[in-house]
Amino acid sequence: MSLFGNYNTPGRGVLKAPQEKKGIFKFFEVYGRHMWKLMELNLLYFVFCIPMTLMVILMLMTSNPIWLLLAIPSVLVGPATAAMTKVCRNYSQERNAFLLHDFWDSFKKNFKQGTIMGAIDIVFAIGFMVGIPMYKYWAEQNSMIYIPFVICISCLIVFFMMHFYIYLMISSTNLYMKQIIKIA
């Protein structure tokens, strides 16, 4: 008898493929392996978010409607989000993903649907940024206005939850925009 057991007995032996991890362990393994690539992806995505960030800052700080000019390049956030989702999906499924090449290919492929969704995002974001404080202010004066305030908050929550699936479906499927929004 040896210290670590008897290795002379017949049996399966060493597994040819390692046991695949599940759940949170797999997440942290993939995250640890791709951490620096994800940081590069975040920087690349941030470049596309700069016009939207400037638009929100100008909208909150000034009453001048000049911030509307930044809404035009801000719709590029939609295709950039679809491209980022595609690269992250490839990382999570442990497929080969070349950061710049896959990002750019997905950006071009999903440009139309991503731009439409980016424009919808901007319209809804401005609507929520104006509507929620306005209804809250009015509701303090008249209690019946709490109804549209709650409806506006509920729509914001549903719209937020839809985004978990919309950009993933844009980058993963060949559906029309109407079908994607209906499914999400």
Side-chain angles (χ1 to χ4, degrees), residues 49-116:
C49 291
I50 289 172
M52 181 176 286
T53 307
L54 292 174
M55 180 185 77
V56 170
I57 290 170
L58 285 175
M59 186 175 91
L60 294 175
M61 298 185 93
T62 66
S63 61
N64 192 353
I66 193 76
W67 56 268
L68 284 172
L69 293 175
L70 288 171
I72 296 166
S74 293
V75 296
L76 293 179
V77 172
T81 304
M84 182 186 70
T85 304
K86 173 81 177 239
V87 173
C88 288
R89 182 186 66 112
N90 286 345
Y91 283 154
S92 70
Q93 292 178 348
E94 299 189 37
R95 294 182 182 167
N96 288 337
F98 301 103
L99 186 74
L100 291 174
H101 183 263
D102 287 348
F103 186 91
W104 186 247
D105 281 350
S106 182
F107 186 87
K108 289 189 294 188
K109 181 182 174 200
N110 301 316
F111 185 79
K112 183 179 177 185
Q113 288 181 327
T115 304
I116 293 169

